[in-house]
């Protein structure tokens, strides 16, 4: 992609650091919505392992629903289109940005507005959920590290909400 | 004893004096005092005026059940909190508190005249008296009553404080940290359960805080719980509501007890999901009902013990007790030992245990068994009481400055009731206790009815020789409801406590009847000669105590009130002077005024620029859905009114979407990218709704179709380039796409790059001009926009906003769903029958188009309107009549949906929904507006370039 | 805020992740054009309003995205059961 034109991101590229948690914008990712009736149908097209269980992640692919997966990859790899096959592969790289919450208070910060019990949310798990009124996808990358995917137009609000909650 | 401060004892820190103000006077208390205890220690007995009669009132209780001493605290501009209970306000340096409901001052209150007129204010007085004439209510009665009666003033300025909010999860939530709650926590502490222990007071202990013998145990327990890593202790936190599935709302007060306002949150809302809940909320002592029981200086006996033992404050210097329960005796024994002068014990019972009598004798306290208080003397403070024998009514006067009441105990079952747990009546304590749970919850300690306060008798009212109709024996102190009021309600035919409650307002004040419900029930029971259980029970509802709106809102205020969605290009618009409007949650540029321009001038300039050269518009908010899969065309064919299967890849089509009832719900231009891939667009406001509707049909009606829907609204920034110079501007920037008219006709899509960025380039027009909509990955939206602005300078490229967009589309007769339609408009009504596939056997809404009401004549139809005076711009929403000479109210046959000044046409244009409008072409209609009724001719909706010559170039 | 068991995610999730979608088991007629006006009216507009057991559709909209069916008591607001779309009425 052109180097001549700059990317314009909805939140600051400077991490916000508070006591016990930092909030930062992840580097750009390629994202694809993968849809099919079964994980096997996608495995045939993509030639990679696709997790079966809702919430599971494997190789950058998170199973979000019975027929929905999210692939996130830093690579510029060519994706098959799935043309003519009973699958749907859609480029959603720019639909969302990813905020990284990191530190011993990361889960506590997320729980200020997310109603899930994150004490019982295993590392490696992913789910679509909500922070107050804004839909998000959370991926627990580590005990103290969450990726929070949020649609671009809501990102500024979420950043403000996170930084306010982290400062409390 | 100096003043009313005891020499010793209490948990206050006598080394830390605290200066504070009440009604403008300075007082001194100690760290650890509440406003109530500090003022009592200063000899203050008068705390407020009652709600209806403006009677002087003092402290009745020591905790959050206090009905009388409601006060306001002023913490500076915008930080005024009314209706706090003086017993729950911790003093701190600079505390500035005020009494309420009095004018001009607490001691000389004008409204007290109501008290002298008290016999004219019986139950239901307001309902009966102020009903007629109706206009008097709004203009006279209501404002006057509001000024005279009522609670503290509502704050008028914006609240500058911030509030925090969180969810929390635990395996065990314990509400109430008295001995029972602490025991439950200690017991569970050794497990690996996550435990949250909540208490409304500033320190753990509850009732144990007034029992020095328990303090060593309390300190050991507090330390053990604090050290336990699995226990979260939340003090100054009120569990205010118990909701389904063990979801409990609690508010933690973080800063109000501190001397200075801070930048940190004032309060924090805890939304707790608990595996199990233990309620240990204790019990509340019941007042006794007798003439004058609201005189300042009459209070609950347990409260006097709390003030003495916890706060080192004597409630009086010569104290009498009126009791129906053993607990009162123990309280005054404790008071006597703390150095408070005890004048007499009056017990309504004929017999009490010899142990009590012996102890009273040992302490030299006079005892009057089988006696009742029948009157209280003193207005701003008790000076003496009348007592008399229950059998022969022979009486005596006892001089005292304080009278304690011990009427037994009421388990605090509020949260249990919120959770829909059932209650059972227990005659021996005269109270309802928790019975069957509705959640995973149990009650422990006094709130379950298990206590060691001794025994007593239940009396509805103390015996009296006085004429019952002439005495004021209060039941609900906060709402000024007397025993007489409840009896009157019964005489007037009310039978259920729910009705008696609403008629008398007993238990309907901000304290929800914590001290009055059971006495009210007992009095109604006696009056009806029916057992309490036959009269029913009122329900408790959240909040347990009043909470601030700030806490409930949490951080949802200011910028965080609700998300304002912005596009990638929004920043450019802001920097270039755009005036914005909100469309759904989106912030959109409405117009771009140049120096000195108003909206009218800016919009005219923007419209002319599009028609004469080229305009640029941020269309990113348009909803977008990518429809992919072998059955994609079949699916769209079933959803939209028009046919989709024959659409060739690379071509676009206007799609009209109905609901199953046949009415238009959305529209948009969509493109076929490949045999099995479509790029749909929806209206800005309809994006989420349309996707949900399509998912609904796909998942539940046609699950056999192999097609999937993905929202791509935010994947693409969309820049509309519209105007005769659009192609010339684009040509040097685009690669991989032949932009010539033959290779890239109107209503086509091509993929290539622009400025090196991949693009889905639509050739479409919502303006009637040669136009393109450039879809690029969102992050590059602003950069591409700026390139176009730079390259477009030679064409005098003009950014335009939603207002010009509306004018341009109206000139061309394009509707906006939701503005020109209202959810009751069919394609035929809107003149869009050309977009309906007549040969399709089925699509969503098709069957409804043959419904009797839809084919009936006289439906409102969308037409154009041209005012006879071209300079008149009709008001959107203005009503339309056929004959302006008809009598008022006129028959309205429609309304104006869109109306603009068209600079291009040099006149106004409008759309309107008019009954039978399609049959009225050329006819004249009348539009009454302020000042004048305007005439307009019915026309077609396309006002400009009807043949489309400007489009196909 | 109640907890709702999503039959696809197979776990209880907080209510705010869900959206109610009206009465369940109101199937769109296979051939709407063959419907009489009365039949079509019943399909479009006539809905049950029971006191007690009610069959409803819900969507785990901020979760797995699936529509499913539920039996909820309209008096107690308690869910008796939830099951996948297409499964027989319970
Ligand atoms: Zn689910």
């Amino acid at each position: 992609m052109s180097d001549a034109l700059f990317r314009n991101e909805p939140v600051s590229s400077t991490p916000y650091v508070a006591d016990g948690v930092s909030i930062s914008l992840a580097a750009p990712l390629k994202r694809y919505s993968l849809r099919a009736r079964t994980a096997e149908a996608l495995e045939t097209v993509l030639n990679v392992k696709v997790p079966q269980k809702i919430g599971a992640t494997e190789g950058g692919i998170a199973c979000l629903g019975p027929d929905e997966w999210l692939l996130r990859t830093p690579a510029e790899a060519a994706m098959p289109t799935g043309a003519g096959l009973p699958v749907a592969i859609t480029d959603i790289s720019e639909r969302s940005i990813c905020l990284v919450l990191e530190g011993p208070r990361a889960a506590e910060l997320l729980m200020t507005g997310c109603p899930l019990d994150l004490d019982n949310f295993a590392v490696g798990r992913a789910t679509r959920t909500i922070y107050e009124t804004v839909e998000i996808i959370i991926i627990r990358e580590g005990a103290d590290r969450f990726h929070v995917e949020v649609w671009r137009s809501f990102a500024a609000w979420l950043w403000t909400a996170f930084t306010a909650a982290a400062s409390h | 004893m100096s003043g009313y401060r005891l020499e010793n004892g209490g948990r206050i820190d006598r080394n830390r004096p605290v200066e504070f103000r009440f009604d403008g006077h300075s007082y001194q208390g100690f760290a650890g005092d509440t406003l109530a205890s500090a003022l009592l220690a200063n000899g203050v007995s008068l705390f407020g005026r009652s709600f209806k009669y403006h009677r002087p009132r003092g402290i009745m209780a020591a905790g959050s059940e206090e009905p009388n001493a409601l006060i306001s605290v002023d913490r500076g501009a915008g930080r005024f909190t009314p209706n706090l209970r003086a017993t729950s306000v911790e003093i701190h340096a600079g505390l500035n508190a005020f009494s309420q409901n009095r004018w001009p001052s607490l001691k000389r209150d004008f409204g007290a005249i109501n008290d002298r007129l008290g016999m004219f204010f019986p139950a239901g007085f307001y309902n009966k008296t102020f009903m007629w004439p109706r206009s008097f209510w709004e203009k006279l009665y209501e404002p006057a009553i509001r000024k005279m009666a009522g609670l503290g003033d509502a704050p008028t300025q914006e609240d500058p404080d911030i509030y925090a909010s969180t969810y929390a999860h635990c395996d065990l939530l314990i509400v109430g940290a008295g001995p029972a709650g602490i025991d439950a926590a200690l017991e569970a502490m050794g497990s690996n359960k996550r435990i949250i222990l909540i208490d409304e007071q500033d320190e753990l202990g509850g009732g144990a805080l007034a029992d020095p013998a328990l303090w060593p145990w309390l300190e050991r327990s507090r330390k053990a719980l604090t050290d336990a890593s699995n226990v979260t202790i939340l003090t100054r936190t009120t569990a205010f509501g118990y909701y389904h599935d063990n979801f409990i709302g609690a508010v933690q007060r973080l800063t109000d007890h501190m001397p200075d306002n801070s930048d940190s949150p004032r309060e924090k809302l805890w939304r707790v999901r608990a595996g199990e809940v233990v309620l240990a909320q204790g019990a509340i002592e019941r007042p006794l009902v007798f003439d004058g029981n609201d005189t300042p200086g009459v209070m609950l006996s347990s409260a006097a013990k709390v003030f003495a033992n916890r706060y080192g404050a004597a409630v009086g210097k010569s104290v009498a007790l009126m009791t129906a329960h053993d607990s009162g005796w123990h309280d005054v024994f404790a008071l006597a030992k703390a150095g408070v002068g005890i004048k007499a014990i009056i017990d309504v019972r004929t017999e009490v245990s010899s142990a009590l009598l012996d102890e009273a004798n040992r302490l030299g306290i006079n005892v009057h068994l089988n006696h009742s208080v029948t009157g209280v003397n003193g207005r701003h403070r008790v000076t003496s009481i009348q007592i008399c024998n229950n059998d022969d009514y022979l009486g005596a006067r006892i001089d005292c400055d304080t009278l304690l009441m011990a009427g037994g105990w009421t388990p605090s079952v509020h949260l249990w009731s919120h959770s829909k747990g059932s209650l059972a009546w227990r005659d021996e304590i005269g109270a309802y206790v928790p019975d069957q749970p509705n959640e995973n919850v149990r009650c422990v300690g006094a709130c379950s009815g298990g206590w060691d306060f001794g025994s007593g008798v239940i009396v509805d009212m103390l015996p009296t020789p006085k004429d019952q109709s002439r005495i004021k024996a209060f039941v609900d102190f906060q709402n000024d409801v007397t025993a007489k009021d409840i009896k009157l309600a019964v005489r007037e035919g009310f039978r259920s406590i729910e009705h008696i409650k609403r008629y008398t307002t007993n238990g309907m004040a901000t304290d929800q009847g914590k001290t009055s419900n059971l006495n009210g029930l007992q009095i109604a029971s006696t009056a009806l000669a029916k057992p309490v259980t036959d009269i029913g029970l009122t329900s408790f509802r959240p909040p347990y105590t009043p909470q601030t709106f700030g806490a409930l809102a949490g951080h949802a205020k200011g910028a965080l009130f609700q998300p304002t969605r912005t596009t990638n290009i929004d920043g450019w618009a802001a920097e270039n002077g755009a005036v914005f409007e909100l469309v759904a949650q989106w912030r959109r540029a409405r117009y771009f005024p140049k120096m000195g321009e108003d909206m009218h001038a800016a919009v005219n300039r923007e419209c002319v620029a599009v028609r004469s050269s080229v305009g640029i518009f941020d269309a990113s908010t348009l909803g977008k859905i990518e429809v992919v899969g072998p059955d994609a065309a079949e699916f769209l064919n079933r959803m939209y009114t028009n046919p989709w299967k024959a659409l060739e890849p690379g071509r676009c089509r206007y799609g009209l979407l109905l609901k199953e009832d046949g009415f238009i719900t959305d529209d948009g231009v969509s493109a076929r990218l490949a045999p099995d891939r479509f790029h749909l667009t929806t209206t800005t406001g309809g994006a989420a709704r349309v996707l949900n509707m399509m998912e609904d049909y796909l998942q539940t009606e046609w699950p056999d179709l192999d097609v999937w829907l993905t929202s791509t609204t935010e994947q693409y920034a969309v820049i509309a380039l519209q105007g005769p110079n659009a192609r010339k501007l684009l040509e040097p920037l685009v690669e991989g796409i032949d932009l010539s008219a033959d290779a890239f006709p109107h209503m086509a899509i091509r993929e290539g790059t622009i400025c090196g960025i991949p693009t889905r380039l639509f050739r479409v027009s919502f303006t009637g001009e040669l136009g393109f909509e450039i879809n690029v990955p969102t992050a590059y939206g602003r950069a591409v926009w700026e390139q176009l602005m730079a390259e477009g300078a030679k064409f005098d490229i003009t950014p335009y906003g939603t207002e010009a967009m509306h004018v341009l589309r109206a000139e061309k007769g394009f509707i906006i769903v939701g503005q020109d339609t209202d959810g009751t408009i069919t394609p035929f009504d809107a003149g869009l029958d050309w977009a309906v596939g007549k040969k399709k056997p089925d699509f969503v809404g098709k069957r409804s188009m043959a419904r009797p009401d839809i084919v009936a004549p006289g439906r409102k139809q969308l037409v154009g309107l041209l005012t006879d005076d071209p300079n008149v711009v009709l008001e959107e929403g203005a009503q339309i009549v056929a004959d302006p000479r008809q009598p008022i109210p006129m028959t309205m046959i429609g309304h104006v949906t869109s109306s603009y000044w068209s600079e291009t046409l040099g006149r106004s244009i409008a759309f309107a929904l008019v009954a039978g409008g399609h049959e009225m072409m050329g006819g004249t209609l009348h539009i009454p507006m302020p000042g004048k009724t305007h005439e307009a001719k019915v026309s077609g909706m396309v006002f400009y370039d009807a043949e489309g010559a400007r489009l196909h170039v | 805020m109640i907890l709702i068991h999503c039959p696809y995610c197979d776990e209880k999730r907080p209510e705010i992740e869900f959206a109610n979608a009206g009465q369940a088991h109101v199937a769109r007629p296979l051939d709407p054009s063959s419907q009489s006006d009365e039949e079509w009216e019943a399909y479009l507009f006539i809905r049950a309003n029971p006191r007690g057991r009610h069959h409803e559709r819900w969507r785990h909209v901020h979760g797995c995205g699936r529509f499913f069916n539920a039996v909820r008591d309209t008096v107690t607001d308690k869910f008796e059961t939830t099951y996948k779309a297409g499964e027989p009425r319970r």
Side-chain angles (χ1 to χ4, degrees), chain B residues 700-742:
Chain B
T700 66
E701 300 294 352
W702 308 316
D704 53 311
L705 295 184
D706 276 331
V707 57
W708 290 272
L709 314 172
T710 303
S711 171
T712 48
T713 302
E714 303 226 29
Q715 166 66 12
Y716 300 101
V718 183
I719 301 166
L721 268 193
Q722 303 277 311
N725 285 321
R727 183 186 286 123
K728 272 185 253 172
L729 168 55
L730 266 187
E731 249 159 359
L733 303 176
V734 168
E735 284 180 9
I737 303 173
D738 179 350
L739 293 183
S740 67
D742 291 343

Side-chain angles (χ1 to χ4, degrees), chain B residues 163 240 565 675 783:
Chain B
Y163 297 83
F240 63 81
R565 304 176 69 179

